[in-house]
Amino acid sequence: MTEPDKLLLQPRDVRFDWSQLPMHWVPREPFATHVLNVLHLLLPEGERWFCRVFHHALPLVTDDRLAEDVRGFIGQEAMHAEAHQGVLAHLPAKGLDPDPFVAQVSWIFKRILGERPTLTVRAHQEYLIERLAMVAAIEHVTAFLGDWILNSPGLDRAEADPTMLDLLRWHGAEEVEHRCVAFDVMRHFDGRYLRRARAMVIAGPVLWIMWIKGAKFLLANDPELPRGTKATWRDYRRAVRKGLMPGPWRIARSMSRYFKPSYYPTQEGSTAQAVAYLAQSPAAQAAH
Ligand SMILES: [Fe+2]
Ligand SMILES: [Fe+2]
């Protein structure tokens, strides 16, 4: 095993100042801005849920090295949730109240995927493993997105807000850095192919639908756009051509990799590139 994959995972303390953030932080690109803004709607609730699920799994992990990774993972995801929460908290000052959408996201993670205290011990264990497999599936998507954001010169060309780019690239780099943890934890409990394939068949489309709904919500409620602005596939194709978001084939290829029996998360992204970005991330440096 090469050295970068055996790094000790540590949360990096970060600081971001959103007081100067324009509503359209990809200038003149409200569509791309809001599609990327969906991350701020989904991640605080989603990553806190990751942390809760991993807290339940931690006492059952019998491998010391893996348990250490789990603690590092929880620390990093908790920090990510807080960082995106900071952007969310800034939106009402711009005239966009995200709460109606965040309430739906919260309902999914707390009600649908939350604790079920009435389950038997055996059913509880099965439910935990199923949720770990969903975290592993979502972590494939976050590693894909992390790799993409670290290699997205289109956003630099479009002069996207540097603080927001740093948030996304700091987060993306840590996603690439810890991309094996959820997969390893799932396999620690259940290494069967069916388990992970099933989790992605469920989590993938739900994530896709939530993303489209989130982008529609933000565009329709943005006070700087005509009321009821709609997202179109043409907008998406245009943004992909400009390198402002990943294209459909790239997404499809990445998803198909997850379904290969030989899949392992190191196939997605480069640890060396992620660690290099983290060493010079302005937000990570500002906190020291
Ligand atoms: Fe994260
Ligand atoms: Fe993650």
Side-chain angles (χ1 to χ4, degrees), residues 43 47 50 73 76-81 84 139 142 170-172 174-175 178:
L43 290 176
E47 295 185 307
F50 287 5
F73 178 94
Q76 290 192 341
E77 295 295 17
M79 194 71 82
H80 300 165
H84 288 277
E139 283 285 293
T142 60
W170 154 75
H171 186 174
E174 288 198 342
E175 290 304 323
H178 75 215

Side-chain angles (χ1 to χ4, degrees), residues 10 14 79 87 134 231:
Q10 288 174 318
V14 284
M79 194 71 82
V87 185
M134 285 201 190

